[in-house]
Amino acid sequence: MKQRDLKYSCLIAVLYFGMNVNAQTTPKDTTAKEQKIEEVVLIGYGSQKKENVTGSIGIVSAKDLANRPNANPISSIQGRLSGVQVLNSGAPGGSPRVDIRGVSSLTGKTVFIVDGMITDDISFLSPQDIESMSVLKDPSSLAIYGARASNGAVIIKTKTGKGKKPVFNFNSYLGIKTVTNIPKMVNADQYVELYNEKLINDKVKDPTFLNRSAYPADKDWFKEIFRTSIINSNDISASGNLGKLNYYLSAGNLQDEGNLAAGRGINSGSGFNRFTTKVNLSYKVTDNITIGNNFTFSKMRTDHVLNTLLDAYSSPPLYDVINPATGDYQYFTLAKIPNSRAKMDLFRSQTREERLLNNIWGEYKFLKDFTLRVSYSSDNINSSKYEFTPTFGYFPSADQKPTKLITRDSRTRNYIWDNTLSWKKSLGKHNIELLAGFSRTRSSYAQTYAEALNVKYDGSNASLVISNGTDIYITSFEEGERNVIPYQDRIESFFGRLNYDYGGKYLVNASIRRDGTSKYSSNDRYRVFPAVSAGWVVSKENFMSEQNVFSLLKLRASWGKLGNPDVQRAYTLNTTKIIEGAYYGENGAPAQTIDKIIDPNIGWETTTGRDFGLEMALFNNKLKIDATYFDKDTKDVVYGIVQGTVSGAGNWNNYITNAYSFNNRGLEFAVNYDANLSENVKLGVYGNMTTLKNKITSVFNGSYLQTGASLYGNSIIRLQEGQAVGSYYGYQVEGVFQNASEVAGAPTQNGATPGGFRFADIDGNGVIDARDKTFLGSPIPKGTYGFGINLNVYDFDFAIDFQGVFGNKIYNFNREQRYGNESWDLDFYNNRWHGAGTSNDYPMATNDQSIILPNSFYVEDGSYIRIRNIQVGYNLPKSFANAMSITKLRLYVSAQNPWTSFKYNGFSPEILNTDRVQMGVDNNIYPISAIYTIGMNLTF
């Protein structure tokens, strides 16, 4: 800022992310002062100046979420924050997974606190309604939420009314979605070549070679299942102030057709439709009493398509969709693979959900320094789903089965009652804030399941009624039955927090929370979660007063403890009835025996974390740097282990208990640079990177678990001490046997032949067997990163965001799944072994099952770098806008995921698997799409 500009009044603005924006002008002063912007961030049950925060919190503003074609708001922060990995779902309406500082639990989820309501899914929320997000990363920030936040938490503040004049906003975009990086498969000629080559390689007696002329088709099955689809979003809002009433009203609609196509059959495609409406009100009853209501209603419809990616990947290209001789769907005679189009077209499924989230609150300020806040939130979800399977056999030998209709009607009810009392006081340089609170949570779920045969579908949903069928079966699961899916849980909590600073230089935060949950018995129902953090704002010391480099220099450290009660449990013993299982002399009688062993004493998972951070703001806050080291231990993680000593138990190889301990440690680094290069040119640059090392530090009784996807009983994942969660386990490929002499000179290996894999003899005993299996890599990235540029030049703006990961491995289970005559990808065709010296990396075409044993050939590099978003916008000049009686009109074009660079032989290296243990296994995963949009932002 130029010196002559400072002789005028300075503006001290307090910028609230999610709060009001207040500004006041100081009297004229001859002392030069810079404009001072103080960020106020959301923390648990309150807010705090960013400068005084001693925990690790990532901040996302409304600007970071705007104009991104994502149904779920959390998708838009991918690559924006250090320490936060977001994995997106390609399925329309699919929710992303958020991992904050690694994997701490195998069952828990990151939670979202939306205007006081805690939930693990925000697919109901429109991004346009969000004012800000605060991502709580370290245990000291999370401990105030105790048992609800062991896997991290994101506090979301929705928009409120500001200013006396009504403000209307209309935001709209229209785009197309297309699947990119589709793997190239062999054509019909190449398939025939490989098929016949395989018969020779396998030394088939009297082989029946394929004749290309007998198969006139040459089908690319991916073209049959994918389509370019449309996505459209429209949102309108009104906000303002009517005397003592602040209001924000909005309504929006999102339509996403999805890329899996509806065909000539009955299916409606893989679409997603969401309607949302929001009302935020606050009313100042008196100077000391304020009441408010935050109301959100959403109505969602999801059309489900059977995911046929793996079928299309495996289907021989020799068949058409329709049999030209009959006009019906074509059966495959060479492989037992369903016709992808038939499978998609003839199955119909839909989920309809209505969700009402309501938060009523009141604040009472008394005795000058005290504030009492009472908040009651309810989250009611009603969901209905049906699945209709028509009369059709996907295989030639399949018998025609009757139509089948399944319906599931569910009801979810969540309630939170929060009460907090805070006291805030400044005594000279001593600034103190105390918070005490009580919270009670109740969650319940119930479901009615029904099925019927021979239901006739006439093209309308009205015909899909259970009563229209035969063989009807209906069961209603009531709340409270602990041996079925439905549940009812309660959590009761007492908590307190102290924030203290001395002159803004020495900072202390301490909190404690005591949680009790109905999930556990009375002897382990309650746990206490303490946390403490401290900070030193070095830049406020007297010895820093003469320097002009640092606007802020702060050191911080924290320690905290959290718990997770959301774990797998069994409540009853499973028994099996055996006909004539007990004998009295020579006469057998029915008997019953326990076939599974359960652990009735499963208890809390606990996480203890530490972090140390450095924050810097330089050159009048133009450059900001944040570096953090974190280290957290999770103990008593609930999951299965092998209990080989338990005789006769059906679950000896998957006994669930508090079995594992994890450690996650790493470094976070973030940098932001914002500057006005001239009066009409503004530049912003950001970047972040996180390194992570995950390790299983102990397993109960020194055991392990072999789990995950498997072929013929050969699982590909092993959970074991010293390894990362989800590590792959199998044989290490040293090369490909080139000739018979190499086979004869190698360790004894079952099925060894020229063109087959040569496995490493790990134990050196000269025999290749299960003892030679080893760990082949981890799905957890060693590092994640993101960076981008924002540029404003006069009325034009440009932004580009990059995002990526490195150091992780993907298990290509799509490629491994071979049972006979499945198709091959073009990469295999071009690189396969087909004679001595042709390849030492890829095997021959074969049906030998040793090729598909879990091994390193299917473990591929998962690193990638992606252009996450490109956007170019144009703001109508103010003079034209004013002439049109509008405040702002911005037009833009954008591209999301238009380019990704990676080496993996699959659709996308971004693998979202619902099972966290199999987080890196590509097994029929819905791919990520590129989205190209045009849009507008109108304010009037």
Side-chain angles (χ1 to χ4, degrees):
M1 185 177 289
K2 295 180 181 179
Q3 185 72 23
R4 63 175 177 269
D5 295 332
L6 296 172
K7 63 183 180 180
Y8 302 106
S9 301
C10 293
L11 184 68
I12 301 178
V14 180
L15 177 60
Y16 281 79
F17 284 108
M19 306 295 181
N20 293 324
V21 177
N22 302 315
Q24 61 182 14
T25 304
T26 62
K28 286 188 177 182
D29 195 335
T30 56
T31 305
K33 295 181 180 178
E34 288 287 353
Q35 187 182 40
K36 184 179 181 182
I37 303 294
E38 293 183 339
E39 296 178 81
V40 175
V41 302
L42 299 173
I43 60 175
Y45 302 100
S47 61
Q48 192 175 19
K49 288 194 298 183
K50 179 70 167 65
E51 187 177 276
N52 292 346
V53 171
T54 52
S56 185
I57 300 177
I59 304 170
V60 183
S61 67
K63 182 180 178 181
D64 297 322
L65 305 174
N67 311 323
R68 302 293 195 271
N70 298 307
N72 195 299
I74 205 69
S75 297
S76 299
I77 72 170
Q78 187 180 42
R80 302 286 301 187
L81 298 174
S82 62
V84 181
Q85 184 183 15
V86 177
L87 290 167
N88 285 306
S89 169
S95 296
R97 193 181 82 217
V98 183
D99 289 333
I100 298 177
R101 292 183 171 178
V103 179
S104 299
S105 173
L106 300 179
T107 55
K109 296 180 180 180
T110 297
V111 296
F112 304 91
I113 298 96
V114 183
D115 295 329
M117 185 70 217
I118 299 180
T119 178
D120 59 12
D121 179 21
I122 56 171
S123 57
F124 68 92
L125 191 60
S126 170
Q128 298 294 338
D129 289 331
I130 296 177
E131 183 71 25
S132 73
M133 294 183 182
S134 286
V135 182
L136 310 184
K137 297 187 287 185
D138 69 309
S140 74
S141 300
L142 293 162
I144 195 68
Y145 287 114
R148 302 306 306 269
S150 60
N151 290 278
V154 180
I155 304 177
I156 296 176
K157 181 69 172 65
T158 57
K159 294 177 179 178
T160 57
K162 300 174 183 177
K164 294 183 178 181
K165 184 179 179 182
V167 176
F168 297 89
N169 285 285
F170 178 69
N171 300 285
S172 176
Y173 64 77
L174 176 67
I176 58 172
K177 296 179 62 178
T178 180
V179 177
T180 59
N181 305 307
I182 299 175
K184 295 181 179 180
M185 307 301 294
V186 295
N187 60 29
D189 292 329
Q190 293 162 337
Y191 178 87
V192 170
E193 179 184 352
L194 288 173
Y195 183 96
N196 292 335
E197 188 177 295
K198 179 179 62 174
L199 297 179
I200 297 172
N201 291 336
D202 291 344
K203 299 179 176 58
V204 175
K205 186 178 181 180
D206 300 325
T208 301
F209 293 107
L210 291 184
N211 188 332
R212 177 71 175 89
S213 61
Y215 298 90
D218 191 355
K219 181 63 60 179
D220 182 343
W221 283 98
F222 285 135
K223 290 183 178 179
E224 289 298 327
I225 66 173
F226 288 132
R227 64 177 174 184
T228 297
S229 63
I230 302 296
I231 183 171
N232 177 233
S233 176
N234 298 279
D235 292 88
I236 189 169
S237 66
S239 62
N241 177 278
L242 293 173
K244 296 181 178 182
L245 176 69
N246 285 335
Y247 63 89
Y248 174 83
L249 315 172
S250 74
N253 180 253
L254 173 72
Q255 294 179 312
D256 183 351
E257 288 183 344
N259 292 118
L260 287 178
R264 74 169 196 162
I266 64 172
N267 197 0
S268 55
S270 60
F272 176 73
N273 186 297
R274 180 184 67 200
F275 169 77
T276 60
T277 183
K278 184 158 190 61
V279 178
N280 284 350
L281 303 173
S282 65
Y283 183 75
K284 201 170 185 62
V285 181
T286 69
D287 290 341
N288 297 326
I289 300 176
T290 305
I291 59 175
N293 180 223
N294 300 315
F295 170 95
T296 303
F297 174 76
S298 66
K299 191 172 184 178
M300 295 180 284
R301 188 195 74 211
T302 305
D303 295 318
H304 307 281
V305 167
L306 287 178
N307 190 345
T308 59
L309 266 69
L310 181 58
D311 295 325
Y313 184 89
S314 304
S315 295
L318 305 183
Y319 300 94
D320 276 315
V321 174
I322 303 298
N323 186 332
T326 65
D328 296 325
Y329 287 104
Q330 177 73 63
Y331 289 116
F332 300 163
T333 56
L334 290 173
K336 197 173 182 179
I337 300 170
N339 183 318
S340 300
R341 278 250 53 100
K343 190 174 179 180
M344 288 176 57
D345 293 350
L346 299 180
F347 174 86
R348 183 177 179 88
S349 178
Q350 188 178 95
T351 299
R352 291 178 177 269
E353 179 181 294
E354 292 185 353
R355 187 168 186 177
L356 175 61
L357 191 149
N358 195 35
N359 169 240
I360 302 173
W361 58 271
E363 274 190 358
Y364 173 47
K365 296 181 178 180
F366 61 99
L367 298 179
K368 188 178 180 180
D369 302 316
F370 290 88
T371 301
L372 173 67
R373 181 180 176 93
V374 178
S375 171
Y376 182 80
S377 300
S378 62
D379 184 10
N380 299 325
I381 306 171
N382 293 324
S383 176
S384 62
K385 180 179 181 179
Y386 69 78
E387 299 172 6
F388 177 73
T389 305
T391 301
F392 182 76
Y394 297 121
F395 309 110
S397 60
D399 295 329
Q400 295 294 323
K401 298 179 179 180
T403 65
K404 185 175 184 178
L405 175 66
I406 296 174
T407 63
R408 295 178 176 89
D409 295 321
S410 63
R411 182 177 74 252
T412 304
R413 300 290 183 263
N414 300 314
Y415 306 99
I416 297 179
W417 180 34
D418 286 330
N419 305 269
T420 59
L421 177 64
S422 61
W423 176 68
K424 191 173 184 179
K425 188 71 173 180
S426 294
L427 302 171
K429 292 186 177 182
H430 300 277
N431 300 302
I432 306 170
E433 183 175 0
L434 293 174
L435 174 77
F438 166 76
S439 179
R440 179 172 288 171
T441 301
R442 177 179 178 269
S443 301
S444 63
Y445 172 85
Q447 180 190 89
T448 299
Y449 172 92
E451 66 177 48
L453 302 180
N454 297 306
V455 176
K456 294 182 179 180
Y457 175 64
D458 64 7
S460 68
N461 285 352
S463 65
L464 296 176
V465 179
I466 291 294
S467 60
N468 291 341
T470 64
D471 302 274
I472 297 173
Y473 171 76
I474 300 176
T475 179
S476 181
F477 299 123
E478 299 298 331
E479 298 176 352
E481 291 184 23
R482 305 310 300 261
N483 59 334
V484 294
I485 295 174
Y487 62 83
Q488 183 180 122
D489 296 320
R490 293 181 174 88
I491 296 178
E492 186 176 83
S493 310
F494 297 89
F495 53 89
R497 180 176 60 209
L498 164 68
N499 283 327
Y500 168 80
D501 74 81
Y502 178 78
K505 291 189 293 185
Y506 311 117
L507 317 169
V508 175
N509 174 291
S511 68
I512 189 167
R513 180 167 177 135
R514 184 174 186 263
D515 279 326
T517 175
S518 62
K519 287 190 173 183
Y520 299 137
S521 59
S522 57
N523 56 345
D524 192 24
R525 179 161 293 172
Y526 291 92
R527 288 291 179 99
V528 176
F529 306 109
V532 63
S533 59
W536 177 26
V537 184
V538 183
S539 53
K540 287 192 174 183
E541 294 288 358
N542 291 334
F543 60 80
M544 296 286 289
S545 60
E546 300 300 322
Q547 58 85 33
N548 296 312
V549 177
F550 293 100
S551 305
L552 173 69
L553 176 61
K554 182 173 72 174
L555 301 173
R556 53 180 172 77
S558 70
W559 173 92
K561 191 171 184 179
L562 300 163
N564 175 32
D566 297 325
V567 298
Q568 303 179 65
R569 292 200 69 189
Y571 294 90
T572 59
L573 295 173
N574 291 285
T575 61
T576 298
K577 292 182 180 179
I578 305 172
I579 302 300
E580 296 184 351
Y583 281 84
Y584 301 92
E586 296 182 355
N587 298 319
Q592 196 165 4
T593 182
I594 296 172
D595 66 351
K596 290 185 179 180
I597 304 300
I598 68 168
D599 181 358
N601 298 314
I602 290 176
W604 293 77
E605 296 178 351
T606 58
T607 297
T608 304
R610 302 150 291 275
D611 79 351
F612 306 92
L614 169 66
E615 295 180 28
M616 294 184 289
L618 300 89
F619 315 123
N620 294 325
N621 288 311
K622 293 180 180 178
L623 177 64
K624 295 180 180 179
I625 300 173
D626 193 323
T628 305
Y629 169 77
F630 64 89
D631 184 354
K632 64 177 181 178
D633 294 296
T634 304
K635 296 183 178 180
D636 298 322
V637 175
V638 177
Y639 212 70
I641 56 171
V642 170
Q643 284 282 83
T645 59
V646 179
S647 175
N651 64 333
W652 66 270
N653 60 344
N654 189 20
Y655 172 71
I656 296 174
T657 185
N658 291 102
Y660 297 90
S661 293
F662 299 158
N663 177 262
N664 293 276
R665 64 180 62 183
L667 292 168
E668 297 173 359
F669 181 79
V671 59
N672 290 271
Y673 178 78
D674 291 286
N676 295 334
L677 302 182
S678 70
E679 184 177 351
N680 296 301
V681 180
K682 298 179 181 179
L683 174 67
V685 180
Y686 77 90
N688 65 78
M689 186 175 74
T690 304
T691 65
L692 176 66
K693 184 177 181 180
N694 172 274
K695 185 170 68 172
I696 300 173
T697 53
S698 68
V699 184
F700 179 70
N701 278 347
S703 188
Y704 64 93
L705 180 66
Q706 197 82 19
T707 187
S710 67
L711 292 175
Y712 304 107
N714 294 293
S715 299
I716 63 176
I717 291 173
R718 188 177 175 104
L719 300 178
Q720 183 173 306
E721 182 178 341
Q723 302 297 321
V725 174
S727 292
Y728 314 121
Y729 190 73
Y731 296 97
Q732 180 67 49
V733 175
E734 290 189 324
V736 175
F737 289 116
Q738 299 297 315
N739 49 54
S741 61
E742 283 194 8
V743 174
T748 301
Q749 179 178 323
N750 186 33
T753 184
F757 287 131
R758 184 174 72 249
F759 296 141
D761 184 12
I762 300 297
D763 63 2
N765 67 353
V767 177
I768 303 298
D769 56 24
R771 291 170 292 184
D772 293 300
K773 289 184 178 181
T774 188
F775 288 95
L776 305 174
S778 165
I780 299 177
K782 293 180 180 178
T784 59
Y785 59 90
F787 59 94
I789 299 172
N790 300 281
L791 181 65
N792 293 73
V793 180
Y794 290 88
D795 295 318
F796 290 91
D797 58 85
F798 168 79
I800 184 169
D801 301 302
F802 293 85
Q803 170 262 332
V805 304
F806 61 90
N808 61 308
K809 300 294 183 180
I810 297 172
Y811 199 97
N812 194 338
F813 199 64
N814 289 336
R815 175 180 263 188
E816 184 185 21
Q817 293 182 72
R818 299 194 61 81
Y819 304 93
N821 298 326
E822 290 85 0
S823 189
W824 293 267
D825 57 61
L826 189 60
D827 173 73
F828 178 87
Y829 174 84
N830 291 330
N831 296 284
R832 76 192 187 283
W833 185 94
H834 53 283
T838 54
S839 177
N840 196 40
D841 299 311
Y842 284 59
M844 64 182 174
T846 180
N847 276 345
D848 187 342
Q849 298 301 305
S850 65
I851 295 296
I852 61 173
L853 289 172
N855 66 70
S856 59
F857 175 75
Y858 303 106
V859 178
E860 302 186 33
D861 186 2
S863 305
Y864 70 89
I865 181 172
R866 167 184 294 153
I867 295 180
R868 177 59 179 155
N869 195 75
I870 304 177
Q871 191 166 126
V872 178
Y874 173 71
N875 288 278
L876 195 69
K878 290 184 178 180
S879 56
F880 287 98
N882 293 336
M884 298 171 63
S885 299
I886 60 177
T887 305
K888 174 185 176 183
L889 175 61
R890 178 177 178 268
L891 306 175
Y892 66 89
V893 294
S894 73
Q896 184 167 282
N897 306 324
W899 173 84
T900 306
S901 176
F902 60 95
K903 297 179 180 179
Y904 173 61
N905 288 295
F907 285 93
S908 169
E910 185 173 355
I911 307 296
L912 176 58
N913 213 316
T914 54
D915 182 358
R916 202 173 235 121
V917 173
Q918 300 190 73
M919 68 186 87
V921 179
D922 189 357
N923 183 14
N924 204 32
I925 300 297
Y926 200 116
I928 302 295
S929 299
I931 308 175
Y932 303 92
T933 60
I934 57 173
M936 65 174 292
N937 309 123
L938 173 64
T939 303
F940 57 97

